[in-house]
Amino acid sequence: MMIAFFLSAAAVVQSPAPIAPIRQAFVGEATFRPLSPTHATVTIRAADGESVVDIDSIDHALAVLADRRLAAIWPQLLTWAGPSLTGLREALVADARAVFAKGRTKQADSAIASVVRPRLRPTFQLADALLAAGQVAEATRLMEDARIAEPQQGNSFWSIHWAAMSQWLAKARDVRGDSQGTLDVLEAAIPPLGNDRAKLNLEASRASVLLDLHRPAAALAAIDAVEARFQAPGGIFSGDVRIRGSDRQFAWIRACALQQLGRTAEAKAAAAPLYPITEPQDRRVRIGPTVKLRKQLGLCTRDVALTAQSYAVLRDDPYGGEALVELQPAFRRRGYDARFLDEVRGHPLLAPILAARLRALPGDLVPALNGWGAMSPAP
């Protein structure tokens, strides 16, 4: 249960603003447009306007192929990406290798990559592409070698880079379902940072992993300590470098820990930051929507109603995105709980939405759905 790299450690590179989707339930027409072997767009038109969605990952392609309303463009997408998406998989790896060979890029394909310098971003891009393609060992070696080679002397970004690369290495364990291995990576990476504020990212992730290991008391103590250091006036943060909305990350971890401890009333109170009047904004980084953190809490506490409510936002979105991937009957990535997800899909709020939108992906797409083994539980 890794969390995003959400605490500011220095001058964070600004991410491009996302395209705001036009909200409507009815799709009248969809147009698929391939732009390169690794990038296509889908234009979704409806009575109230249109949205343009980028397709530049396996999950993006799967989300289109899982949406009944976009059936008209499935043949075009599969011609472009390959019948089982292996063409897109190989193209993404090849493209990442080419960027890696150049040695630097301004593009940041993930939240973690956005906080490192351009010379390191190709490493993250290639590691992510390899991990998504099921090539876990090569991806892990690549990141381990980069972390070892990262200079510390005279490098003002060393702590940020160390934390980001350690976070990625923990993620590689996490997607394999190896929670103890994830914890081991994080606990080994924290001491070298000393009192540097970048360590708070790893400590917060450690707290979330402790929940996976059914250690809620330890998780609660850990997240309380992280937030105390984060919020302390005159503490490790000088100036306004805290990322807005970080309280939401603390909130879902604390609320889950309290719920697992049976302290239900306290858990409900702790979750209050997950119900903001307005979404937090930050001038330096793109901040994810709060509904995703409510989903994290729902999955963590096995709260069927909260999880269903969090997924139900796809009702008003022309592009179902990760919801239509994660709610697939054949979905078997880390943390998968068949009985729980069956209950979520059958919840009265969500069931009619899925009946209208969700297509169960056919067998030839299931390997792509589950990361070609990269995201399956470790044996």
Side-chain angles (χ1 to χ4, degrees), residues 304 308 327 340-352 354:
V304 172
L327 291 171
F340 173 71
L341 285 180
D342 279 345
E343 292 179 10
V344 170
R345 285 188 289 264
H347 189 276
L349 177 64
L350 189 57
L354 297 182

Side-chain angles (χ1 to χ4, degrees), residues 46 110 120 171 236 338:
S110 67
L120 266 182
K171 178 183 76 171
I236 61 173

Side-chain angles (χ1 to χ4, degrees), residues 2 20 60 192 204 232 257 279 363:
M2 296 293 291
H60 292 166
E279 290 288 330

Side-chain angles (χ1 to χ4, degrees), residues 31-179:
T31 302
F32 179 78
R33 183 186 178 197
L35 302 176
S36 76
T38 61
H39 185 201
T41 60
V42 175
T43 301
I44 303 172
R45 299 181 182 86
D48 297 333
E50 74 175 33
S51 302
V52 178
V53 177
D54 287 306
I55 309 298
D56 55 10
S57 74
I58 297 296
D59 277 359
H60 292 166
L62 287 169
V64 173
L65 294 166
D67 194 331
R68 292 179 182 275
R69 302 184 309 173
L70 302 179
I73 64 171
W74 293 345
Q76 296 167 274
L77 190 154
L78 289 171
T79 298
W80 170 70
S84 56
L85 304 188
T86 53
L88 178 57
R89 177 190 67 184
E90 300 309 318
L92 287 167
V93 172
D95 185 63
R97 289 193 191 281
V99 173
F100 183 76
K102 292 180 180 177
R104 64 185 293 114
T105 180
K106 292 182 178 180
Q107 181 177 341
D109 293 335
S110 67
I112 297 178
S114 73
V115 304
V116 303
R117 305 295 280 176
R119 64 176 175 80
L120 266 182
R121 291 180 188 177
T123 300
F124 282 85
Q125 184 175 333
L126 179 54
D128 283 338
L130 290 168
L131 187 64
Q135 299 175 41
V136 184
E138 182 181 355
T140 301
R141 284 195 303 272
L142 175 71
M143 192 62 71
E144 287 175 339
D145 290 347
R147 192 174 67 162
I148 291 171
E150 180 67 9
Q152 184 170 359
Q153 296 299 319
N155 180 3
S156 62
F157 265 72
W158 176 83
S159 62
I160 300 172
H161 292 171
W162 174 269
M165 289 187 283
S166 300
Q167 190 94 353
W168 190 96
L169 289 166
K171 178 183 76 171
R173 292 290 191 95
D174 183 64
V175 299
R176 293 289 294 164
D178 182 6
S179 296

Side-chain angles (χ1 to χ4, degrees), residues 362-379:
D364 61 341
L365 291 173
V366 170
L369 174 67
N370 292 316
W372 287 282
M375 300 181 184
S376 300

